[in-house]
Amino acid sequence: MLARRLLTAMCAAVLTIALGGCGNTDTWVDAAPALGWPAPYGDAANSSYTTTSGASKLTLAWTRSVKGTLAAGPALSARGYLALNAQTPAGCSLMEWENNNRGRQRWCVRLIQGGGFAGPLLDGFDNLYVGQPGAIVAFPVTQWTRWRQPVIGMPTTPRFVGHGHLLVATHLGQVLVFDTHRGRVVGSPVDLVEGVDPADPMRGLADCAPARMGCPVADAPAFSEVNGTVVLSVWQPGAPGAGLVGLKLRDQQLVREWASDAVNDGVLASPVLSADGATVYVNGRDQHLWALHAADGKVKWSVPLGFLAQTPPTVTPEGLIVSGGGPDTRLAAFRDAGDHADQAWRRDDVTPLSTSSLAGGEVGYTVVAGPPHDGDPGLSLLVFNPANGHTINSYPLPAATGYPVGVSIGYDRRVVIATSDGQVYSFAPA
């Protein structure tokens, strides 16, 4: 009898341990950002930073054209897939290529044109999410549509917000959360702009790329997975410039927390959130770099740049902030000291035309004007040290025209640059 009781107790203990170790393991199927450079500006915080160790020596592997124009940078998956949302006169516009196979095209489809300012987003399963006027569309690894759902306006670059959910903010101010598996709306949408005609998703699209007042939300939102904060730039009708709006994701429901017009003359380009989700960094049209508290939108500090940065700043987990790019800009870096910013370094000898992309904190990449190459002023990829701004290497972009729309860093350390005239350049570690 005692032996039987001991055996029963042992069996019960084993069963308890076994059951205790069998929790819900379904989370592995939830969509999450690809390990490469899943969207323009990298992660959902728009930090333009990756933990991947960057290559200081590169070689040009291939170059090709989308046969149209580009206004958003490439997205890269860990498998080496490269996605571009082009605007083309005919034929395909959304393209997926093999970055590690000389740009071989995997598939392409034509989207409704007009939304080229928004980039695609890749998840860890190589599914792709992208907007077109009036809809958000999901594609599987192949080109066949996975799901398509209507929205009011043109989706900016979408963001993952955990639990397999997708954040979509449109240029007309509608903000929604979708279940990525079924394409269903989670919670209730939030409308940031009043008086919008839901039947006219094309309204104001021409103002989005140049960030003019006809496009209320011209840039991608920033999201922090640490505290569920969402920050967007919104140009309300009749306002003198774009302000910032802060939302919070609570139990998968978006709640409006604050609105701020503290940035003088309005904000320009996407906001960026710090690694801890506590601070928002954004360019002001007053040629200042601004830092605001993400909890309430109140100003922490601002610092004069002496130039108008037209692309978002870059922010590392250690708090280094590299200013954005554009015509007549300079390459400068600052450190957040709490109630003010300290300049870390500044270079007045180069003009960065794109946001800097940083890899592992040891290597940075940006596209600069010149130097002259084979008779044309051209563009060059500058490889620099983020600690002091010193040049490590420089590589000309052959026959490049237009302006750069982004620098993407792959999981395999490849670096991809695209220009507004539709040229794509892929560099491999040397």
Side-chain angles (χ1 to χ4, degrees):
M1 180 65 71
L2 179 60
R4 183 178 298 174
R5 288 177 179 174
L6 287 173
L7 181 61
T8 301
M10 289 173 62
C11 290
V14 170
L15 182 61
T16 299
I17 293 173
L19 292 176
C22 297
N24 187 337
T25 59
D26 291 346
T27 54
W28 75 270
V29 301
D30 287 344
L35 291 179
W37 195 266
Y41 307 126
D43 58 14
N46 293 328
S47 72
S48 295
Y49 172 88
T50 176
T51 56
T52 299
S53 177
S56 58
K57 294 182 179 181
L58 301 168
T59 183
L60 183 60
W62 57 265
T63 179
R64 64 178 296 180
S65 171
V66 300
K67 297 181 174 61
T69 61
L70 290 167
L76 305 176
S77 79
R79 193 180 297 184
Y81 296 159
L82 183 156
L84 294 156
N85 184 24
Q87 301 294 283
T88 57
C92 292
S93 61
L94 177 68
M95 308 173 189
E96 186 169 281
W97 300 345
E98 295 176 358
N99 187 29
N100 52 8
N101 190 19
R102 302 190 62 82
R104 176 183 177 272
Q105 184 162 282
R106 297 192 67 250
W107 57 266
C108 69
V109 296
R110 185 165 183 81
L111 299 180
I112 297 174
Q113 300 292 275
F117 66 94
L121 170 67
L122 285 163
D123 71 14
F125 301 101
D126 297 319
N127 299 309
L128 190 149
Y129 308 83
V130 68
Q132 64 179 16
I136 178 72
V137 191
F139 295 90
V141 180
T142 57
Q143 72 184 68
W144 311 113
T145 302
R146 187 179 176 201
W147 51 261
R148 177 189 286 109
Q149 292 296 339
V151 295
I152 298 174
M154 167 65 201
T156 60
T157 305
R159 302 297 187 201
F160 289 115
V161 292
H163 306 285
H165 292 163
L166 191 72
L167 175 72
V168 174
T170 74
H171 86 291
L172 294 179
Q174 186 185 42
V175 189
L176 313 93
V177 176
F178 286 90
D179 179 325
T180 57
H181 288 300
R182 301 173 179 83
R184 296 175 181 171
V185 176
V186 178
S188 300
V190 174
D191 295 314
L192 301 179
V193 180
E194 296 183 358
V196 170
D197 180 2
D200 185 12
M202 308 290 286
R203 193 198 80 186
L205 282 181
D207 278 0
C208 290
R212 294 192 293 252
M213 65 183 303
C215 179
V217 181
D219 302 290
F223 170 76
S224 172
E225 62 181 9
V226 175
N227 55 18
T229 296
V230 179
V231 180
L232 308 95
S233 64
V234 182
W235 196 329
Q236 295 287 356
L244 293 173
V245 173
L247 308 175
K248 186 76 81 170
L249 192 61
R250 303 182 189 277
D251 297 325
Q252 308 311 310
Q253 173 60 51
L254 288 166
V255 179
R256 183 166 174 164
E257 296 278 291
W258 53 265
S260 172
D261 58 0
V263 177
N264 295 336
D265 300 331
V267 304
L268 183 62
S270 292
V272 184
L273 281 165
S274 60
D276 61 5
T279 305
V280 185
Y281 301 100
V282 69
N283 298 323
R285 292 180 184 265
D286 60 351
Q287 300 191 9
H288 281 61
L289 172 68
W290 290 76
L292 298 90
H293 295 282
D296 54 18
K298 294 182 178 178
V299 174
K300 286 181 62 177
W301 50 258
S302 69
V303 61
L305 295 173
F307 54 82
L308 181 63
Q310 297 183 24
T311 68
T314 303
V315 180
T316 73
E318 293 74 31
L320 182 72
I321 310 153
V322 181
S323 60
D328 300 319
T329 61
R330 299 294 180 263
L331 193 60
F334 303 86
R335 293 193 181 277
D336 191 334
D339 59 353
H340 68 280
D342 293 325
Q343 182 170 294
W345 50 263
R346 181 185 177 101
R347 291 190 58 176
D348 292 324
D349 61 324
V350 295
T351 300
L353 299 176
S354 69
T355 291
S356 296
S357 298
L358 304 188
E362 298 177 355
V363 180
Y365 308 95
T366 190
V367 179
V368 300
H373 179 70
D374 290 341
D376 69 75
L379 304 174
S380 295
L381 173 64
L382 178 71
V383 185
F384 66 93
N385 184 346
N388 51 29
H390 291 173
T391 295
I392 298 174
N393 269 309
S394 180
Y395 303 94
L397 304 180
T401 58
Y403 58 87
V405 295
V407 180
S408 302
I409 305 168
Y411 191 67
D412 56 4
R413 306 170 76 209
R414 293 173 182 259
V415 179
V416 181
I417 301 99
T419 74
S420 59
D421 284 348
Q423 300 157 308
V424 183
Y425 299 84
S426 181
F427 289 83

